[in-house]
Amino acid sequence: MRIRGAIFDVDGTLLDSMFIWDTIGEAYLRSIGYEPRENLNEVFKNMSLLQAARYYQTEYGVTLCVDEIMNGVNAMLERYYRFEAPLKAGVIELLEQLRESGVKLCIATATDRFLVEAALERCGVLSCFGRIFTCGEVGHGKDEPHIFEEALRFLGTQKSETVVFEDALYAIRTVKEAGFPVAAVYDSHEKERDKVCTLADVYLEELTQLDKVRKYLLD
């Protein structure tokens, strides 16, 4: 497979940051005076922030508008992304390898733009990407293919030569059903590893596996 474009997820793929999402849904709800029901964070696992905000309204009766809810959650997240969220091992070397091979890069993420930009700028890799696409701006979560299709149009590459780097099973399933090749990235927060491996064109236990990237995606 010889790829010419790459679309990157952020949390769990570029950033080792998934743990922050384990409790943020419950923490925010408590901060505005509501007691979360059991397994709320599991419910939010496959949702964008926009979808989660609407869920607060419909399922908990939160009277704040969607923008107010999203702003409240993001205020709790901002410090972590701005000052702490680390890159996964091997990210810089992987991005350099892809760019040296002439691969065009962009981002498709469920996390809000200002958080992603703050973290990637601090980590020194923001300039590697031609554009950032967010689920909130596109208006669809990764359970639908819209964000990946928009990223593809920006890259101007053929779908068959544009790989999506993702860690989450639900997003990988969406991407595969839409006809993209997938490079799945291991993250401990994705519990259904066997299903991820079955769907992916290449599975990276670590992003440091540059030989594997070259063999499956650049030759």
Side-chain angles (χ1 to χ4, degrees):
M1 181 189 301
R2 182 64 172 89
I3 66 164
R4 302 186 184 280
I7 302 168
F8 276 87
D9 170 56
V10 175
D11 295 291
T13 301
L14 293 174
L15 294 178
D16 192 7
S17 54
M18 285 303 298
F19 84 93
I20 197 67
W21 297 96
D22 284 351
T23 58
I24 188 65
E26 294 178 354
Y28 173 73
L29 201 57
R30 289 192 176 101
S31 77
I32 59 172
Y34 295 80
E35 184 60 28
R37 294 187 286 271
E38 188 176 358
N39 296 325
L40 176 62
N41 290 306
E42 188 64 26
V43 172
F44 281 173
K45 181 179 179 181
N46 295 343
M47 290 187 184
S48 67
L49 182 53
L50 175 63
Q51 290 170 318
R54 290 170 177 164
Y55 186 90
Y56 281 134
Q57 292 177 324
T58 59
E59 299 299 321
Y60 284 88
V62 174
T63 56
L64 298 172
C65 73
V66 165
D67 284 344
E68 288 174 320
I69 295 171
M70 293 174 66
N71 288 340
V73 174
N74 278 330
M76 297 178 73
L77 292 168
E78 183 173 5
R79 178 174 179 79
Y80 175 72
Y81 280 88
R82 190 169 296 281
F83 298 110
E84 299 178 40
L87 289 175
K88 282 192 161 183
V91 165
I92 292 175
E93 294 81 2
L94 172 62
L95 296 178
E96 288 177 350
Q97 175 74 78
L98 293 173
R99 294 179 77 193
E100 288 173 3
S101 298
V103 179
K104 299 177 182 178
L105 310 178
C106 71
I107 284 172
T109 178
T111 302
D112 275 10
R113 173 182 298 276
F114 80 101
L115 298 174
V116 171
E117 289 180 340
L120 297 187
E121 178 68 28
R122 172 177 50 80
C123 293
V125 298
L126 181 61
S127 62
C128 295
F129 302 96
R131 188 166 169 184
I132 295 172
F133 293 87
T134 72
C135 291
E137 293 169 354
V138 172
H140 296 270
K142 288 187 176 180
D143 55 337
E144 301 176 280
H146 298 75
I147 190 169
F148 303 108
E149 298 287 359
E150 287 207 20
L152 180 67
R153 283 191 287 273
F154 166 76
L155 292 173
T157 49
Q158 297 297 312
K159 184 176 289 187
S160 61
E161 60 186 19
T162 306
V163 68
V164 178
F165 286 81
E166 266 284 358
D167 66 295
L169 175 61
Y170 85 103
I172 290 169
R173 185 176 287 120
T174 298
V175 168
K176 287 299 293 183
E177 289 176 354
F180 288 87
V182 174
V185 178
Y186 170 74
D187 190 85
S188 61
H189 289 77
E190 176 51 70
K191 303 304 182 185
E192 298 191 83
R193 181 177 179 179
D194 289 345
K195 292 181 181 179
V196 168
C197 291
T198 298
L199 284 173
D201 295 273
V202 57
Y203 185 79
L204 301 173
E205 292 86 358
E206 300 284 348
L207 291 175
T208 53
Q209 295 176 295
L210 295 184
D211 288 344
K212 200 169 186 179
V213 172
R214 283 191 291 269
K215 178 180 178 180
Y216 285 96
L217 302 178
L218 299 176
D219 290 343

